Amino acid sequence: MKFSSDNSKNKKHTLWHDWLTYDFIVGIALQLLLYFVAMFVWSMRFPKLSFERTPILNVHYLVMFLPFIVGVFGLWARTYELPVWAKFFTKVSLPVLILGVISAVVLCIVPPYCSSTTKTEQYMIVDRDVDAESFDICRHIFPSHISGAPSNTSYRYYKYSSILEDDFHLSLGETLSSDQFKEESDRILALDILKDADLSTSKDITLIDTTLNGDLIVHITLDSAYNRIIYAAGYNRIK
């Protein structure tokens, strides 16, 4: 009878009927949920976790990660028969799980993910929610393809979307041959869209600054000393 009672007691606390296990499984599920919401709901083509976002979002992300941590350490403590730690993690497992779910809901609305890439092979490939008119202007100003050597080229695309903010940045820096530099500089300076831009020149450097389409800030640097051209454009819209 004693053996039967012990058996019944063990069945009560099996692995799959324990909040520590639920914490572990739900913790992983929340991470996947947030990633796919960023990728499909917010249309982030190149999802990347960004701790450049506001501190409150970073705190929410860490809280969302707690169920997984509690589940891992709690199961570890129970497996290696550390009763004090097993009891502690079991006690906090349900509150931590609730906090994790709440944080995940917040982060699905205001995600900690941005869409970002620095790969030159992904040049001018952007998310579908980038403002079409602003991007057409960028395609008009930026070169149609990258001409500089990869070692002398830097590229960055960044896009962040949420119910609060719409942020876009595109930049390219490349060092060209003398002939390529002259040809591209002439093309840029002849662009009708830049005819009202602020132009400042020094011995070797020409700076072009303007704002187009209401809030698209454009900045171009022509550096004749190094045959280098830097293009930058972007907007930040608070909804």
Side-chain angles (χ1 to χ4, degrees):
M1 286 294 291
K2 186 176 178 184
F3 175 77
S4 174
S5 172
D6 288 345
N7 224 17
S8 168
K9 189 176 178 181
N10 285 337
K11 282 183 181 176
K12 242 181 198 182
H13 300 283
T14 55
L15 184 66
W16 301 104
H17 293 80
D18 186 276
W19 282 113
L20 290 175
T21 306
Y22 297 148
D23 270 31
F24 175 73
I25 295 171
V26 174
I28 295 174
L30 292 178
Q31 299 291 320
L32 293 173
L33 170 70
L34 184 59
Y35 180 82
F36 286 117
V37 165
M39 192 160 61
F40 295 112
V41 175
W42 294 110
S43 306
M44 295 180 182
R45 188 186 290 268
F46 312 110
K48 181 180 178 183
L49 185 63
S50 173
F51 282 100
E52 296 173 11
R53 309 311 310 161
T54 59
I56 188 70
L57 288 185
N58 297 338
V59 170
H60 271 290
Y61 184 79
L62 293 174
V63 170
M64 191 190 73
F65 205 72
L66 281 179
F68 174 75
I69 294 173
V70 168
V72 167
F73 282 102
L75 292 173
W76 172 80
R78 194 172 62 188
T79 301
Y80 287 92
E81 298 181 353
L82 303 173
V84 174
W85 286 108
K87 185 177 180 181
F88 168 76
F89 286 119
T90 301
K91 188 173 287 188
V92 301
S93 59
L94 180 56
V96 158
L97 184 60
I98 293 170
L99 287 174
V101 171
I102 292 171
S103 290
V105 171
V106 171
L107 293 174
C108 283
I109 298 170
V110 189
Y113 280 96
C114 65
S115 183
S116 178
T117 183
T118 56
K119 296 179 180 179
T120 53
E121 59 267 28
Q122 293 168 339
Y123 179 61
M124 300 301 271
I125 299 174
V126 302
D127 295 274
R128 66 172 179 260
D129 64 336
V130 170
D131 181 76
E133 192 171 343
S134 292
F135 186 53
D136 282 342
I137 291 171
C138 290
R139 283 193 294 193
H140 197 53
I141 294 172
F142 282 61
S144 58
H145 63 280
I146 295 175
S147 302
S151 59
N152 294 319
T153 299
S154 60
Y155 173 67
R156 184 175 186 244
Y157 163 71
Y158 173 91
K159 180 71 172 68
Y160 178 76
S161 300
S162 77
I163 62 168
L164 303 175
E165 185 183 357
D166 185 16
D167 197 2
F168 165 72
H169 172 82
L170 190 67
S171 63
L172 172 69
E174 54 179 353
T175 301
L176 306 169
S177 67
S178 297
D179 291 341
Q180 287 175 321
F181 177 81
K182 185 178 184 316
E183 183 182 345
E184 182 62 9
S185 296
D186 290 344
R187 182 190 73 83
I188 292 169
L189 292 170
L191 287 172
D192 188 59
I193 200 170
L194 298 177
K195 67 180 180 181
D196 295 324
D198 293 329
L199 195 70
S200 57
T201 59
S202 63
K203 181 182 176 183
D204 299 315
I205 295 178
T206 299
L207 300 177
I208 304 169
D209 292 283
T210 189
T211 300
L212 303 168
N213 194 33
D215 58 2
L216 179 69
I217 298 171
V218 177
H219 177 78
I220 302 171
T221 302
L222 307 176
D223 186 345
S224 59
Y226 295 96
N227 292 331
R228 187 165 182 81
I229 302 179
I230 300 173
Y231 314 76
Y235 59 75
N236 180 256
R237 297 171 179 171
I238 306 301
K239 297 179 180 178

